[in-house]
Amino acid sequence: QLQLVESGGGLVQPGGSLRLSCAASGFTLGYYAIGWFRQAPGKEREGVLCISSSGDSTNYVDSVKGRFTISRDNAKNTVYLQMNSLKAEDTAVYYCAVRKSVYCPGLVALYDYWGQGTQVTVSS
């Protein structure tokens, strides 16, 4: 019943911007911490940003600091990832995931539910 659906990915040039959305159904996102992750070909999945159920954000990697912003709209049961100043190294499949917790998990393995992912390609 429950699911997470990412959208908003696509092809952008370096320096461009995208906003990804993660829409939840079958459960209420307001009770969960929510993370954005990415996985490039041949690489392990890495955490990007997380937002707690209280609205506090946490950077998992320094490489996106100042460029990416996570936000949530509990009324719409949706979480967003605003990506600015995109670089080629940001190219990956981006996933959202949730953990029924107030705080952001410290490990990827602690997340409970995952979306299907959306492709982001940054290229000239």
Side-chain angles (χ1 to χ4, degrees):
Q1 293 274 8
L2 60 86
Q3 64 177 9
L4 296 167
V5 179
E6 301 95 332
S7 62
L11 174 65
V12 297
Q13 295 184 349
S17 298
L18 283 175
R19 189 174 82 156
L20 306 183
S21 298
C22 176
S25 62
F27 66 104
T28 301
L29 272 183
Y31 299 115
Y32 293 78
I34 308 158
W36 281 98
F37 299 81
R38 64 187 183 185
Q39 186 168 23
K43 298 183 179 179
E44 294 185 354
R45 186 173 299 183
E46 67 174 355
V48 179
L49 278 165
C50 176
I51 186 166
S52 73
S53 64
S54 300
D56 299 317
S57 62
T58 299
N59 283 94
Y60 283 129
V61 292
D62 291 335
S63 61
V64 306
K65 186 170 63 177
R67 299 189 298 120
F68 292 8
T69 303
I70 190 171
S71 61
R72 63 192 298 163
D73 187 337
N74 290 340
K76 295 182 178 180
N77 224 29
T78 301
V79 178
Y80 305 96
L81 181 66
Q82 179 66 47
M83 305 186 296
N84 300 323
S85 301
L86 284 162
K87 305 174 181 179
E89 63 194 73
D90 296 318
T91 296
V93 177
Y94 283 72
Y95 302 87
C96 65
V98 301
R99 167 75 172 180
K100 195 170 185 178
S101 172
V102 173
Y103 304 107
C104 289
L107 298 173
V108 174
L110 295 177
Y111 283 87
D112 299 314
Y113 310 117
W114 293 81
Q116 85 291 344
T118 185
Q119 177 70 48
V120 172
T121 303
V122 185
S123 176
S124 299

